[in-house]
Amino acid sequence: MEKTHEKIDINQLDKDQLKTFSDFLISYNRLTEMCFKDCVRDFTSHEVKETEVKCSLNCMEKYLKMNQRVSQRFQEFQMIANENAMAMLKKTGK
Amino acid sequence: MDMSQISPADQAKVQVMQEMEIEMMSDLYNRMTTACHKKCIPPRYSESELGKGEMVCIDRCVAKYLDIHEHIGKKLTAMSMQDAELMKNMTS
């Protein structure tokens, strides 16, 4: 019993790690697509311009900062929702 | 909650439901991020810092997105419940 439980935990960890890694890769690709679309418009030369690089890097940094803020707000909302659910449960349980 | 009182089949069901909920939440989060990015961040990247207006916009965008999500959820549940009721009446 003890052993099977441990095995499940290890599998779970692997699954979570893989998920994190795949999430990272997906957001990497999405970031490239988005910033490329917004920053690279000139196709008269195949050289990437200084301004295009700068724009893309700013785009990435800004997106990450935005993501951080969205995540903060999201967590706040979830906490409030959880508290409300708990309060409801207490009310109906009693 | 005491998990030992629930049968293994039900435990598995609960776990699948929880996983689905987590996946749904992360999908919601990703869609919201994309939507608010589109609406709040103009595609001119002369700076890497978020502007003050952009920050306010993001805060409001998240609040409104989740509010709309809740409203739609309520309406959707009501409608599907009504549908189920109608189907029950038709078959009986």
Side-chain angles (χ1 to χ4, degrees):
Chain A
M1 191 62 199
E2 201 64 29
K3 225 170 187 168
T4 51
H5 196 75
E6 219 176 293
K7 209 173 172 186
I8 287 164
D9 274 357
I10 287 165
N11 280 337
Q12 191 60 37
L13 191 77
D14 269 353
K15 220 170 108 190
D16 287 348
Q17 274 179 331
L18 277 175
K19 179 100 177 78
T20 310
F21 186 54
S22 105
D23 280 350
F24 168 75
L25 291 179
I26 286 166
S27 66
Y28 178 21
N29 280 351
R30 202 168 43 188
L31 216 46
T32 305
E33 184 191 11
M34 214 172 59
C35 295
F36 179 83
K37 276 182 177 167
D38 283 343
C39 291
V40 181
R41 297 158 192 285
D42 176 36
F43 296 98
T44 53
S45 130
H46 75 206
E47 226 76 58
V48 175
K49 280 191 272 178
E50 187 83 30
T51 51
E52 287 169 342
V53 175
K54 187 124 204 306
C55 175
S56 304
L57 292 179
N58 282 342
C59 168
M60 180 210 75
E61 220 176 305
K62 206 166 183 172
Y63 184 82
L64 294 179
K65 278 173 190 159
M66 193 205 93
N67 211 346
Q68 216 176 5
R69 199 175 178 92
V70 169
S71 144
Q72 276 170 8
R73 294 291 100 81
F74 187 58
Q75 273 169 29
E76 285 167 16
F77 273 95
Q78 263 193 318
M79 243 155 61
I80 291 165
N82 270 344
E83 272 167 27
N84 285 346
M86 285 294 213
M88 278 281 273
L89 216 68
K90 246 184 198 165
K91 225 173 161 184
T92 50
K94 283 272 166 180
Chain B
M1 209 193 286
D2 192 4
M3 286 297 267
S4 60
Q5 279 183 344
I6 307 168
S7 72
D10 278 348
Q11 271 185 40
K13 221 188 256 177
V14 166
Q15 215 199 335
V16 169
M17 294 270 268
Q18 274 172 346
E19 271 170 26
M20 267 167 78
E21 202 171 316
I22 290 169
E23 211 149 291
M24 179 275 233
M25 276 312 228
S26 108
D27 186 50
L28 165 72
Y29 180 83
N30 287 332
R31 285 174 196 272
M32 181 173 70
T33 310
T34 312
C36 293
H37 182 260
K38 213 169 170 181
K39 287 191 186 282
C40 293
I41 315 288
R44 280 174 271 104
Y45 297 102
S46 50
E47 236 200 344
S48 66
E49 290 300 319
L50 285 173
K52 207 161 191 171
E54 290 169 340
M55 289 188 201
V56 174
C57 179
I58 290 163
D59 294 353
R60 289 177 182 157
C61 180
V62 170
K64 290 184 87 164
Y65 196 96
L66 294 174
D67 201 16
I68 293 291
H69 183 69
E70 211 181 300
H71 272 100
I72 288 180
K74 274 190 189 140
K75 176 111 190 180
L76 210 56
T77 334
M79 277 168 77
S80 66
M81 253 152 60
Q82 211 176 23
D83 250 25
E85 198 81 3
L86 212 71
M87 286 291 261
K88 220 169 73 189
N89 288 344
M90 289 237 294
T91 49
S92 66

